[in-house]
Amino acid sequence: MAPLADYVKLPELEVYGEWFKDFADLYREDGILQVTWKTKDMAMHHSGMSHRAIPQLVRILSMDWKNEIIIFTHLGDNWMIESDPDGWETYSELPTQRFQHQYFDDTNLIKNMVFDLDVPTIGAIPGPGFHWDSAFLSDLTLVSDDCVIEVPHAQGGLVPGDCMGLMFQHYLGTKRGNYYMMTTRQVTAQQMLDWGMVSEVCPKGHVVERAWEIARMWKKMSYENRCIMSNLAKRPLKKLLVEDMKLHTVSEQYASLLRVAAGELGDENSAQQDEKYISRVNDYRYATTDMQEAPDSETWVGMPARAAAWFKGVEEGKWENPFAKNDIPGAYKPYRPAPVEK
């Protein structure tokens, strides 16, 4: 006898991989799925579209039982640094589009990583960058030895409420987390390890390789036990997000709209920096060590001018922008693990 109704047929990897091909390279081997964030065949460029695609994909991944362990990484030598200057039109449309982007997308990008995924996850960060949410919300987080991260919002005139500041408070402790959140000072890989924010620091170029080693190690456990283990790993973050996530996200949204209403949203010299202008500033912030130093009012106010001068020097050939390859189509290829000997 057959049941009255069969299981619902959900899309397979080949189908949803095509849906999200502009934002993620998906590669699965022996139940281990590697998600490599990107924008077409370049490093990921921050936009309203990529911001929405991340939580959409995570939700779909959670419904595919063939994804037994998930590794989140980024195309190239760094985490996300660049921004798509033309990718923010719908983000600025009031009221509905802006509401959907900020109220739903901002929240879903965080909560889907923790509440939707019931399998072990590893964040593998190949280098410096911002919007490191998916990697640091994973059960384990691995970073390269040259990685630096920050919560850059305040220096751009924004309230740091997209939960990166919340994670700083959680991982670094309230006072230290507040300091780095409120000063936008960068945290180095060794500091992240010493302060309990990451699981391992890996040699440059070997972060994703190490993630695969750990994933294959987990595969030695039974499927059921590693899923239960992952639930325990996620529990502290679940409790944190239930308590504070919406307060943080809505605080940033409200403060942002105040500046929009006041007509103070614009380039890096405005009271609030528009997302579309951040590539030049980010390249400078991660190419130099300036933001690893304790800031004062002079260095805080002068940062945009220093970034502009640095960028002009790059254009004149005085020094090299180490992140220039991020804008070159095909400059990087997604990592593929070496075959395992049977």
Side-chain angles (χ1 to χ4, degrees), residues 114-115 166 170 234-245:
V114 175
F115 289 97
L166 178 60
H170 173 70
K234 292 178 172 67
R235 181 169 169 77
L237 282 176
K238 288 180 178 179
K239 294 164 67 176
L240 176 73
L241 297 183
V242 166
E243 289 288 331
D244 288 326
M245 176 179 63

Side-chain angles (χ1 to χ4, degrees), residues 86-155:
D86 300 313
W88 297 97
E89 289 79 4
T90 57
Y91 209 91
S92 62
E93 292 180 13
L94 296 171
T96 304
Q97 289 274 24
R98 180 85 180 208
F99 173 76
Q100 290 172 340
H101 277 296
Q102 288 203 301
Y103 194 79
F104 293 127
D105 292 349
D106 281 13
T107 302
N108 289 338
L109 193 147
I110 304 297
K111 74 176 182 63
N112 292 4
M113 282 293 306
V114 175
F115 289 97
D116 284 5
L117 298 177
D118 295 311
V119 299
T121 55
I122 304 173
I125 298 189
F130 80 117
H131 260 305
W132 30 263
D133 323 70
S134 62
F136 278 86
L137 289 164
S138 298
D139 300 341
L140 299 186
T141 302
L142 316 178
V143 299
S144 63
D145 50 18
D146 70 333
C147 182
V148 292
I149 65 169
E150 62 188 1
V151 180
H153 299 65
Q155 199 164 18

